[in-house]
Amino acid sequence: MEQTTTEAIVESKGGKRLKSGGKAPLIIVGAVLAVLLAAYIGLCAYAAGRDTFQPNRRINGIDVGGLTVDQAQETLETSLLSQEITLTDPDTGTQAVITVADLGYTADEFAGDARFWMDTDRQMGFFRKGWAYIAYATGRWSGGANWPDMDRAALRETVSRLSDELSREPLDGAWELADDALVFTKARDGRTLNADALEAALADVGTYSEAG
């Protein structure tokens, strides 16, 4: 039978059998993995050597990415207290907005927070720093939160104010004559805010605050 394959032709001429495949794919894969590993180690070294917070790093919901410790602390003290919290009644859709300061916090409660979180980040293992950098930069990991005990007296004042603003007496529908015009007052249901329940919910700030 006539040999027609490349392998047969080579053999007929006394040459060595040609082998397909070999170690080339393994070498390529190994080279790619080596490059990726070197790149990740470089990223870990870069992240470890930074004196600023990683991109998109948040503390108590405030973005401090790219800031030094001093800059981050100043940002926390000026921005955190004015951070808004929206309260929504699931039954009526009624909303009210308060700030972190309304919960009874002052800047003193957050003194030293930036240094604490920077030290926490630096205490990570070397190889974890690269992963943390990627997680922060891509928004997969926002950061941490620290909510000390709030001033309960100030919180109660806020709850009392909200109770006055959001509660209302029921109103019966009625017609009345005013300035030669007949005016109709639409009936409405009353609404009473459960002040104790609201205070308890607001006191547990960790359940609704931005942690990262």
Side-chain angles (χ1 to χ4, degrees):
M1 180 182 292
E2 185 179 353
Q3 295 175 320
T4 58
T5 64
T6 302
E7 181 179 338
I9 293 173
V10 172
E11 286 182 337
S12 67
K13 294 181 179 180
K16 295 181 179 180
R17 177 176 294 181
L18 297 178
K19 296 182 179 180
S20 61
K23 296 182 178 180
L26 293 178
I27 294 175
I28 294 174
V29 172
V32 171
L33 292 177
V35 170
L36 293 176
L37 178 59
Y40 183 74
I41 292 175
L43 177 62
C44 291
Y46 171 73
R50 289 171 59 93
D51 61 356
T52 58
F53 284 98
Q54 311 296 8
N56 292 332
R57 178 67 158 91
R58 292 178 178 271
I59 300 175
N60 286 26
I62 302 299
D63 188 356
V64 296
L67 302 182
T68 64
V69 169
D70 290 341
Q71 291 170 336
Q73 187 61 44
E74 182 179 355
T75 298
L76 286 176
E77 293 178 0
T78 56
S79 300
L80 183 55
L81 297 181
S82 60
Q83 190 177 42
E84 293 185 343
I85 300 168
T86 301
L87 308 177
T88 303
D89 185 333
D91 296 326
T92 65
T94 303
Q95 292 187 331
V97 178
I98 62 174
T99 66
V100 170
D102 291 328
L103 297 177
Y105 287 117
T106 65
D108 291 341
E109 270 83 45
F110 304 100
D113 274 19
R115 169 56 61 188
F116 170 82
W117 289 112
M118 176 63 81
D119 290 344
T120 298
D121 287 351
R122 285 177 173 170
Q123 289 168 7
M124 290 182 183
F126 177 79
F127 288 104
R128 193 184 177 201
K129 285 182 169 66
W131 173 84
Y133 182 93
I134 295 173
Y136 284 132
T138 59
R140 295 179 180 275
W141 188 18
S142 58
N146 172 44
W147 294 103
D149 293 337
M150 61 184 66
D151 185 338
R152 295 303 289 263
L155 175 61
R156 291 189 188 97
E157 291 182 5
T158 297
V159 171
S160 177
R161 174 173 60 81
L162 289 173
S163 181
D164 293 339
E165 292 177 0
L166 300 179
S167 297
R168 67 184 185 187
E169 297 293 330
L171 190 63
D172 295 328
W175 291 91
E176 64 177 321
L177 186 63
D179 297 329
D180 297 328
L182 195 59
V183 179
F184 175 68
T185 300
K186 186 177 180 180
R188 71 182 184 191
D189 295 330
R191 182 175 60 222
T192 302
L193 183 70
N194 188 329
D196 291 338
L198 178 60
E199 180 179 343
L202 291 177
D204 193 9
V205 64
T207 62
Y208 59 85
S209 69
E210 295 185 68

